[in-house]
Amino acid sequence: MKITGMPLPHESARGHVSGEALYVDDLCGRFPQLLHAWPVCAPHAHAIVTQLDPSPALRVPGVVTVLTQADVPGEGNTGANRHDEPLFPTEVLFHHQPIAWVLGDSLETARTGALSVAAAFDPLPAILTIEEAIEAGSFLNEPLRISDGDTSTIELSALRVEGELRIGGQEHFYLETQAALAWIDEAGFIAVHSSTQHPSETQAVVARVLGVPRNHVLVECLRMGGAFGGKEVQANPYAAVAALGAWKTRRPVRVRLTREVDIAITGKRHPYLARYVAGFENAGRLTAVRIQLFSDGGWSLDLSEPIMWRSLFHIDNAYKLPAVEVVGRVCRTHKTSQTAFRGFGGPQAMLVIEEVLSQGAQRLGLPADVVRERNFYRQGDVTHYHEPVRDADRIELIWHRLKETSAFQRRRSDLASFNARNTHQKRGMAITPVKFGISFTASFYNQAGAVVLVYRDGTVQVNHGGTEMGQGLFTKILQIAAEALGVPVEHVRIMSTRTDKVPNTSATAASSGSDLNGAAVQDACHQIRRRLGAVAGAVFDCAERDVQFDNSVVSARGKSIAFGALCEMAYKQRIPLFAEGFYRTPDIHFDFKMARGRPFHYYAYGAAVSEVEVDAFTGQYRLLRTDILQDVGDSISPVIDRGQIEGGFLQGVGWLTIEELLWDATGRVSSGGASTYKLPSWSEMPEVFNVETLERATQADVVMGSKAVGEPPLMLAISVREAIRDAVAAFGPGRIDSFDSPLTPERVFFAVRRVRAERTALK
């Protein structure tokens, strides 16, 4: 029975809608004498702490203790790579940075205690923008560079395009804020429930702070209420605070940030500043590009360097760049430490090259879709870092098929008629492609382990290193295991992710959760199946390869036995019914000094057509229709994949059009809640939304022939941005020189005004 490819619902769907699915904070009732933590936050973006006196807080009834650097038995630093994130800083480096944590019998008690701590500061000048950081030479890294070919041809090109693009960040706004719960277990060691994408790294950071070996720390992740990258490394300090509190008080400690505090102190998607110059032939083909990328990394390095590397890798999107030089710098500012977010630097870079192509098309008087198509990668091409673009023909295949199914040309004519009839509302339409590399930038993360246990009654438990954040990883793993063992999905149980079951795991990130963990689970299941096949072969007097496993029935040569009965038989023959699976992604490598190699196992492709209507009086837009065609290989779980495509696309629409992060002059996040930070909702959904996946698209060397689907669809939202550009241009014929992101109604309104003013001037 084929189980992968079946449209099964999310394995926790019923629990999600009924409230029965448990998250970290739902477990508090299991822990008597639980303490609650609240941070003491600095009111400056940059300052020296000159006084920190916890004694007033200790006089608040119900306050048990105040955690400071003096309580740290190990290293008081939670920085993932550079160890540049002190848990209790003496120099404040961003507004609201916690300098101590108060533990109380209730959350309100802890909060009152935090307000009572006597703290004094010596304010210092703060750097709050990318431009200020560039001027001050404030950077977190040395320049990263990839170059290929001779970019001096720009000066000889028929058209030279030069400009800047500012790209805003994005708040994760996961439904479950950062949360951790720690206690001392029955053996005297530390245990932590953490809302983390990377339990092994959380384990390592907790052990470092406590000054104990990693085997003294257990980290478990039951599930997360969203993460989007924000819990890849930034879950670590909150788990460390909970663990430190439990270590000191010998009582369970809960840390859960309120929405206001979470937004104030956690990292976001990196804002970018891009400076570009490009050359074009008259026919619209690129001759060369030179691009500088500056990201706002905030106060610490976090994952900003690998994020910038991925930006350098994805500066091409789906286009062959004959000559390119791209340089990336991470700026140090006095803001939250920006971190991983769905796409991991790829979306910002892809937006830059799409901006370049749109500017070129506009100046050459060519349709934007024609210019894009003329610059596509073709079969046999290699990237600017010299990786062959496998299956490059899928780009054009998807492009032309989507144009046909979306009636692109006919609708362009209808759109022109609408615009001719309407003065104050204009419609625009655009089609944009996506090519996104799948694998971790750091090669050693491309590995996964699993432990599969089959019991004597034929039921199964699966342990693996991936974490479930709502994206459906566990559903796909369930289907992979059930099919591999030939049992119904009801007979398989996916266990929560624990560091004592599978050690040294990689983060569930880079869209690789199913690829890595699914392959490891499949490996373990196949080992068990081979052992059971040998037992069944002896019963049926046939070769192991002739034994069939299907729907909990094992058969061969017209005979059959129940799967559970075969497991009992194998047990009595002392055949192990458990196995450890392992997978490592083959043939990936990259030389960071030479900027050459094969950092990605494969590319995921897609394209989207979007149509919008823009109102000249308000700058508001309506998303009338979106058609998507996405390459997911052979889908393991079509319902899950469709959900990821739709959700990723809409999150991209939010980033590009309505979600605007703002900081005030003091460095405080001023868009600090749902009332001031606008999230996409039903009103941003396309009125007509057609989503299809590419058929007959098996991906070799990937579990079940599938492809990653977590991140690639987000960049399909660029089609909405370009459709808005097309609509604004229809108010013209003025030229759109600057189209910074996000395209909020205010920006669109003033863009329309500029275009209309140019039209008037031309008359």
Side-chain angles (χ1 to χ4, degrees):
M1 178 180 175
K2 183 74 171 170
I3 297 175
T4 57
M6 291 180 59
L8 300 186
H10 192 287
E11 49 87 27
S12 291
R14 186 178 297 276
H16 289 161
V17 297
S18 68
E20 295 171 297
L22 300 180
Y23 298 85
V24 170
D25 216 44
D26 296 317
L27 307 177
C28 292
R30 302 179 181 182
F31 296 90
Q33 294 190 305
L34 179 71
L35 295 176
H36 304 259
W38 189 270
V40 178
C41 296
H44 304 283
H46 191 199
I48 300 297
V49 181
T50 57
Q51 180 192 9
L52 182 63
D53 181 8
S55 56
L58 297 174
R59 293 193 288 270
V60 174
V63 169
V64 173
T65 192
V66 178
L67 299 178
T68 67
Q69 179 60 37
D71 297 305
V72 178
E75 180 186 342
N77 199 298
T78 59
N81 298 306
R82 194 177 281 182
H83 293 215
D84 59 348
E85 297 182 10
L87 195 56
F88 303 103
T90 56
E91 181 184 1
V92 174
L93 293 170
F94 70 96
H95 197 287
H96 245 68
Q97 184 171 20
I99 58 172
W101 288 78
V102 176
L103 305 185
D105 289 330
S106 70
L107 190 62
E108 190 55 39
T109 296
R111 186 172 188 169
T112 302
L115 293 172
S116 303
V117 170
F121 306 89
D122 183 10
L124 297 170
I127 295 171
L128 299 176
T129 68
I130 292 176
E131 288 85 352
E132 288 174 2
I134 294 171
E135 185 177 352
S138 179
F139 298 103
L140 286 162
N141 73 329
E142 295 301 315
L144 310 180
R145 177 180 281 102
I146 299 179
S147 62
D148 188 39
D150 181 9
T151 61
S152 67
T153 56
I154 292 173
E155 314 308 326
L156 305 174
S157 300
L159 172 69
R160 186 179 185 275
V161 173
E162 185 172 3
E164 288 189 345
L165 176 65
R166 288 166 182 80
I167 305 170
Q170 188 176 22
E171 168 61 38
H172 295 91
F173 224 105
Y174 23 62
L175 291 178
E176 177 198 27
T177 57
Q178 298 282 0
L181 198 161
W183 69 99
I184 306 298
D185 68 17
E186 64 281 358
F189 299 127
I190 199 78
V192 184
H193 275 296
S194 177
S195 185
T196 175
Q197 294 174 244
H198 199 175
S200 289
E201 186 173 85
T202 300
Q203 175 195 36
V205 169
V206 168
R208 184 206 305 168
V209 170
L210 297 181
V212 299
R214 294 187 189 188
N215 70 343
H216 284 40
V217 179
L218 165 66
V219 173
E220 179 174 1
C221 179
L222 182 62
R223 58 168 58 82
M224 285 168 280
F228 310 116
K231 297 175 181 176
E232 186 172 344
V233 300
Q234 296 214 354
N236 299 337
Y238 311 108
V241 167
L244 181 62
W247 195 257
K248 179 181 180 180
T249 65
R250 316 311 282 181
R251 290 172 62 177
V253 174
R254 165 233 196 190
V255 174
R256 184 187 66 80
L257 305 185
T258 63
R259 180 66 63 190
E260 180 184 23
V261 173
D262 192 294
I263 292 177
I265 70 177
T266 64
K268 296 90 173 63
R269 185 188 295 279
H270 292 70
Y272 269 51
L273 168 64
R275 293 170 175 165
Y276 60 84
V277 57
F280 285 86
E281 298 174 355
N282 283 323
R285 292 185 180 86
L286 281 163
T287 57
V289 293
R290 284 196 297 269
I291 297 172
Q292 290 178 293
L293 298 176
F294 299 94
S295 71
D296 183 344
W299 72 282
S300 69
L301 186 61
D302 197 278
L303 293 169
S304 296
E305 193 159 88
I307 286 167
M308 181 56 76
W309 270 114
R310 187 169 277 267
S311 292
L312 303 191
F313 291 142
H314 284 78
I315 198 66
D316 56 346
N317 191 11
Y319 310 111
K320 175 63 178 175
L321 308 180
V324 57
E325 180 181 34
V326 55
V327 179
R329 296 295 302 268
V330 180
C331 298
R332 183 198 299 271
T333 61
H334 296 105
K335 290 156 75 172
T336 55
S337 185
Q338 318 315 355
T339 191
F341 201 129
R342 199 175 197 164
F344 205 75
Q348 294 95 320
M350 293 158 74
L351 191 62
V352 173
I353 195 63
E354 294 296 346
E355 175 74 15
V356 169
L357 289 171
S358 290
Q359 293 289 351
Q362 179 180 264
R363 286 162 170 74
L364 290 167
L366 295 171
D369 61 293
V370 171
V371 171
R372 286 183 166 88
E373 185 176 338
R374 287 176 180 173
N375 284 284
F376 281 161
Y377 277 112
R378 265 72 184 185
Q379 204 69 6
D381 284 343
V382 299
T383 65
H384 53 296
Y385 45 90
H386 287 206
E387 176 167 354
V389 184
R390 294 172 59 191
D391 300 319
D393 55 333
R394 290 191 185 185
I395 301 172
E396 284 194 88
L397 173 65
I398 290 169
W399 186 262
H400 292 302
R401 186 171 298 176
L402 184 61
K403 273 192 163 184
E404 179 181 347
T405 58
S406 67
F408 184 82
Q409 296 301 338
R410 176 186 61 76
R411 288 168 56 205
R412 290 277 334 164
S413 299
D414 295 344
L415 182 148
S417 299
F418 175 91
N419 288 344
R421 296 193 307 270
N422 291 273
T423 303
H424 303 300
Q425 289 81 34
K426 300 291 185 182
R427 291 182 178 179
M429 191 165 69
I431 178 171
T432 58
V434 166
K435 174 186 70 69
F436 194 78
I438 304 299
S439 286
F440 282 98
T441 307
S443 298
F444 58 83
Y445 280 135
N446 295 288
Q447 58 176 303
V451 178
V452 175
L453 314 175
V454 177
Y455 293 91
R456 292 164 65 179
D457 64 352
T459 58
V460 183
Q461 279 188 359
V462 175
N463 303 272
H464 61 89
T467 55
E468 176 62 49
M469 62 195 88
Q471 84 279 34
L473 170 63
F474 280 19
T475 308
K476 290 188 174 185
I477 296 292
L478 191 72
Q479 292 180 256
I480 290 168
E483 181 165 315
L485 291 172
V487 299
V489 292
E490 294 79 12
H491 290 192
V492 181
R493 179 184 175 191
I494 308 294
M495 308 305 291
S496 61
T497 311
R498 292 169 54 116
T499 55
D500 63 344
K501 292 293 186 69
V502 181
N504 310 318
T505 57
S506 299
T508 304
S511 303
S512 62
S514 299
D515 289 3
L516 297 177
N517 296 287
V521 167
Q522 186 183 60
D523 176 43
C525 290
H526 284 172
Q527 293 177 48
I528 297 170
R529 180 166 170 159
R530 284 193 294 270
R531 295 170 196 161
L532 290 173
V535 174
V539 172
F540 299 142
D541 191 25
C542 69
E544 174 198 327
R545 64 178 178 273
D546 296 327
V547 177
Q548 302 295 314
F549 291 73
D550 185 49
N551 202 27
S552 280
V553 175
V554 184
S555 60
R557 302 183 66 177
K559 302 175 184 178
S560 64
I561 186 173
F563 183 78
L566 180 63
C567 292
E568 177 70 17
M569 188 180 298
Y571 168 75
K572 290 180 176 177
Q573 295 179 27
R574 297 182 291 179
I575 303 298
L577 293 175
F578 61 91
E580 298 174 351
F582 183 75
Y583 174 78
R584 62 178 181 181
T585 309
D587 304 325
I588 55 173
H589 56 88
F590 190 74
D591 185 327
F592 286 94
K593 291 183 179 178
M594 300 297 294
R596 295 287 185 269
R598 186 188 173 192
F600 304 117
H601 187 38
Y602 62 87
Y603 295 101
Y605 303 108
V609 173
S610 291
E611 182 177 357
V612 302
E613 182 177 307
V614 169
D615 184 275
F617 296 117
T618 65
Q620 294 277 7
Y621 77 90
R622 288 170 54 211
L623 182 47
L624 303 175
R625 175 174 167 177
T626 292
D627 296 76
I628 290 172
L629 182 56
Q630 182 66 36
D631 173 17
V632 300
D634 292 336
S635 177
I636 293 172
S637 195
V639 171
I640 297 299
D641 285 348
R642 184 182 180 94
Q644 287 294 285
I645 294 168
E646 293 176 351
F649 170 81
L650 195 61
Q651 191 171 55
V653 171
W655 168 54
L656 290 170
T657 66
I658 60 173
E659 296 183 48
E660 188 170 28
L661 279 171
L662 298 171
W663 282 265
D664 65 19
T666 70
R668 181 184 65 89
V669 178
S670 54
S671 50
S675 63
T676 51
Y677 185 81
K678 183 169 171 55
L679 292 163
S681 61
W682 285 112
S683 58
E684 278 68 52
M685 285 286 289
E687 296 175 15
V688 177
F689 200 8
N690 300 314
V691 175
E692 300 293 338
T693 57
L694 188 65
E695 297 177 350
R696 296 182 295 280
T698 302
Q699 180 62 40
D701 303 324
V702 181
V703 61
M704 311 307 296
S706 67
K707 271 190 174 184
V709 72
E711 291 169 296
L714 184 135
M715 282 69 76
L716 297 171
I718 295 174
S719 63
V720 177
R721 169 191 153 87
E722 294 306 309
I724 293 173
R725 181 202 299 273
D726 189 49
V728 171
F731 288 99
R735 198 169 72 184
I736 303 171
D737 289 314
S738 178
F739 224 41
D740 288 343
S741 186
L743 293 183
T744 59
E746 294 87 349
R747 283 200 175 97
V748 173
F749 172 80
F750 286 112
V752 170
R753 277 218 328 196
R754 287 194 301 271
V755 167
R756 280 182 156 176
E758 287 190 32
R759 182 187 63 187
T760 302
L762 288 172
K763 289 181 179 179

